Amino acid sequence: MKKTAYIFLDWFMTTNELIVGEEINTKAFLFFVDALNAFKTELGFDIKLVVLSGTSQKSAQKTFSILKDAFKKQKNTMLSGFAYEYGGFLINEDEKVERYYNKTTTLGNKIDELCKKYKMSKNQDYQLYYNFKFSRVNQRTLNFVDECKNTFTNKDFEFFNDKYGKGLDIKNKDLNKHEFVKKFLKNKKFDLLIFGGDSVQDERMFEENKFENKYFFGFKKFANLRSNYILSAKFNIYGIIDDINTLTARLKGKL
């Protein structure tokens, strides 16, 4: 009887280099599919891959469409969905949107005062939380971020400043990838769980899931190497490919 493995992978800084300039990165993608196929074939798993991101619906649908077409050309059905807005919504394999989180983040009039003070404006593409995009990170930007954190102490904050973008997300504490995974897996049968990402928030998907047969794919920047952590010295998708191959080699002959 075939076993089932669910793989939950973060998008930005983790797997987003599968797409370059709104087109599939063919070389990286083929290596990725080869690694997944080897894992499936050598270990006897039916793989279900879900990508997770804090991105908007518009961006998620475009990304999912590109990925789905690429998997389809390889006659590969592993891609099961793309969760966006931190798992508040899921684009399923039929390209239909499923809602997993029913609340919105409310900050009252105070956020309007702060936006006026720092000349900031909310990105309107997001439904469940506040997103601010920055053209650059300077002292004014940092002061805005700090005052938001000091004002809305009951919220979660995701501040990002990297080559893929600069901005701030302010959201409810229970709007996160771990809560999405918990809801998504409810009533599903599986034999192995794999989580992958580049941040502490991604680690939480692994750490807070009580299922024992689980692994975390990451990168060498994680200081604490645990027994079920597979960490690569490479970056982004090539690091994840490296992690898949390492776990395949580790488990071969054990399952």
Side-chain angles (χ1 to χ4, degrees), residues 1 41 55-56 74 81 94 197-198:
M1 185 176 178
T41 303
T55 193
S56 66
Q74 297 300 312
D94 297 322
D198 72 301

Side-chain angles (χ1 to χ4, degrees), residues 202-227:
D202 297 320
E203 278 190 285
R204 285 186 62 198
M205 290 191 291
F206 171 86
E207 297 293 351
E208 296 189 27
N209 189 285
K210 304 305 180 186
F211 188 69
E212 289 188 8
N213 195 20
K214 60 179 182 176
Y215 291 88
F216 181 80
F217 288 166
F219 311 97
K220 291 293 186 182
K221 71 175 186 177
F222 288 98
N224 297 318
L225 176 59
R226 299 172 175 84
S227 60

Side-chain angles (χ1 to χ4, degrees), residues 131-148:
N131 169 267
F132 298 91
K133 292 284 194 295
F134 308 138
S135 58
R136 58 178 178 156
V137 174
N138 53 23
Q139 193 56 53
R140 178 176 65 90
T141 305
L142 295 175
N143 289 343
F144 172 72
V145 172
D146 286 342
E147 190 157 356
C148 283

Side-chain angles (χ1 to χ4, degrees), residues 227-241:
S227 60
N228 282 27
Y229 273 42
I230 310 294
L231 305 181
S232 174
K234 299 176 183 178
F235 299 100
N236 210 293
I237 188 58
Y238 284 103
I240 295 300
I241 292 167

Side-chain angles (χ1 to χ4, degrees), residues 4-245:
T4 298
Y6 279 95
I7 303 179
F8 299 93
L9 297 179
D10 171 53
W11 182 241
F12 284 106
M13 301 294 288
T14 304
T15 55
N16 66 300
E17 289 181 3
L18 281 170
I19 295 176
V20 177
E22 298 189 3
E23 292 185 0
I24 204 73
N25 180 348
T26 304
K27 180 181 178 181
F29 181 77
L30 291 178
F31 278 130
F32 181 54
V33 171
D34 285 346
L36 290 172
N37 282 335
F39 188 93
K40 174 182 178 179
T41 303
E42 295 185 30
L43 299 174
F45 278 104
D46 180 24
I47 295 175
K48 297 184 182 296
L49 171 65
V50 179
V51 181
L52 306 98
S53 177
T55 193
S56 66
Q57 179 175 342
K58 182 179 178 181
S59 176
Q61 287 177 322
K62 182 184 293 184
T63 300
F64 183 72
S65 179
I66 295 170
L67 289 174
K68 186 176 180 181
D69 286 346
F71 273 100
K72 186 177 180 180
K73 287 178 182 177
Q74 297 300 312
K75 296 182 171 60
N76 188 303
T77 60
M78 293 181 191
L79 185 62
S80 295
F82 194 107
Y84 62 93
E85 291 204 29
Y86 296 99
F89 300 95
L90 173 75
I91 305 172
N92 64 28
E93 51 197 325
D94 297 322
E95 298 191 58
K96 295 179 180 179
V97 173
E98 300 175 12
R99 187 161 182 163
Y100 276 76
Y101 188 83
N102 293 319
K103 294 182 287 184
T104 56
T105 302
T106 55
L107 302 178
N109 294 330
K110 188 61 181 178
I111 191 63
D112 297 326
E113 295 174 15
L114 292 178
C115 286
K116 185 176 181 180
K117 177 180 178 180
Y118 291 98
K119 298 180 181 179
M120 297 289 179
S121 58
K122 174 187 174 184
N123 189 324
Q124 299 299 321
D125 289 341
Y126 296 77
Q127 301 179 55
L128 300 180
Y129 62 91
Y130 285 74
N131 169 267
F132 298 91
K133 292 284 194 295
F134 308 138
S135 58
R136 58 178 178 156
V137 174
N138 53 23
Q139 193 56 53
R140 178 176 65 90
T141 305
L142 295 175
N143 289 343
F144 172 72
V145 172
D146 286 342
E147 190 157 356
C148 283
K149 288 182 177 179
N150 291 331
T151 303
F152 308 110
T153 55
N154 64 332
K155 302 300 180 186
D156 264 350
F157 297 86
E158 298 288 339
F159 172 67
F160 47 97
N161 179 20
D162 54 60
K163 63 180 179 178
Y164 304 113
K166 309 174 194 306
L168 173 70
D169 297 332
I170 307 176
K171 59 186 183 64
N172 294 334
K173 288 184 177 293
D174 59 346
L175 175 56
N176 57 62
K177 297 173 185 177
H178 166 64
E179 290 297 326
F180 162 76
V181 169
K182 185 166 65 175
K183 294 171 186 174
F184 178 82
L185 290 176
K186 188 175 181 180
N187 299 324
K188 289 182 172 66
K189 294 182 179 180
F190 46 87
D191 304 277
L192 177 68
L193 294 179
I194 296 171
F195 306 92
D198 72 301
S199 71
V200 172
Q201 293 301 315
D202 297 320
E203 278 190 285
R204 285 186 62 198
M205 290 191 291
F206 171 86
E207 297 293 351
E208 296 189 27
N209 189 285
K210 304 305 180 186
F211 188 69
E212 289 188 8
N213 195 20
K214 60 179 182 176
Y215 291 88
F216 181 80
F217 288 166
F219 311 97
K220 291 293 186 182
K221 71 175 186 177
F222 288 98
N224 297 318
L225 176 59
R226 299 172 175 84
S227 60
N228 282 27
Y229 273 42
I230 310 294
L231 305 181
S232 174
K234 299 176 183 178
F235 299 100
N236 210 293
I237 188 58
Y238 284 103
I240 295 300
I241 292 167
D242 194 29
D243 291 338
I244 295 170
N245 290 332

